[in-house]
Structure formats: structure tokens, C-alpha cells
Amino acid sequence: MIPIVELSRIMASGFVPLSCDCSVNPEGFLTIRVFEPESGRVDLLLTGVSPQGLDSIRAISNLIGELRTELKAGRRGFAAFG
């Protein structure tokens, strides 16, 4: 997996003008939160995301594309993506 700092930077660039935070829990799974920066309103929250396969810019870009599709569909959150 790409280091979490780099992953967060790449993910954030894919959701502008929204903001995106990524964190790793003690079990090694990701939490991804996409939110409106001024109000703090969370538009998408994912927990338990496996970092397996997120080892390239292409893989992360594919994930961003999938998550943007979820946002457009109006889904606000789900767990264990990927």
C-alpha cells in the first residue's frame, strides 16, 4: 500500500471541491470520509476498506472513480468496500 499520507493527498485531489480524509484503524483497514469543507457535512463515509491493491496511482484513481459514482448515486456511506 502507498503510505497513508500520500494516499490521502491523492484521494483529496480526486474530490475537489469536497475534502477527503483517510485514516487507518489498528486492524489495518481504511476509513474514508468525503465531506463539504465549509459546513463539515459528510457526503460519503466508508469504514473497513481493505488497502489490498491500493499500491499504484491507477488503483487509487479507480477507487476514486467508484466512490464518485457512489456520491452521484446519493449513497452516503457503507462498510467493507473493496
Side-chain angles (χ1 to χ4, degrees), residues 5 13 50 65 74 77:
V5 172
S13 70
S50 173

Side-chain angles (χ1 to χ4, degrees), residues 9 19-20 33 47 51 61 69 71:
R9 186 189 65 73
S19 293
C20 180
R33 181 175 67 110
T47 59
S61 293
T69 299
L71 279 170

Side-chain angles (χ1 to χ4, degrees), residues 12-69:
S13 70
F15 290 100
V16 173
L18 298 174
S19 293
C20 180
D21 286 341
C22 298
S23 60
V24 179
N25 70 19
E27 292 82 31
F29 291 98
L30 299 172
T31 295
I32 301 170
R33 181 175 67 110
V34 179
F35 60 99
E36 204 289 315
E38 288 187 28
S39 69
R41 181 194 73 233
V42 176
D43 290 340
L44 188 66
L45 177 65
L46 297 106
T47 59
V49 178
S50 173
Q52 289 287 78
L54 296 179
D55 53 3
S56 69
I57 299 296
R58 179 177 296 271
I60 296 167
S61 293
N62 289 341
L63 175 60
I64 290 168
E66 291 176 34
L67 298 181
R68 290 177 67 109
T69 299

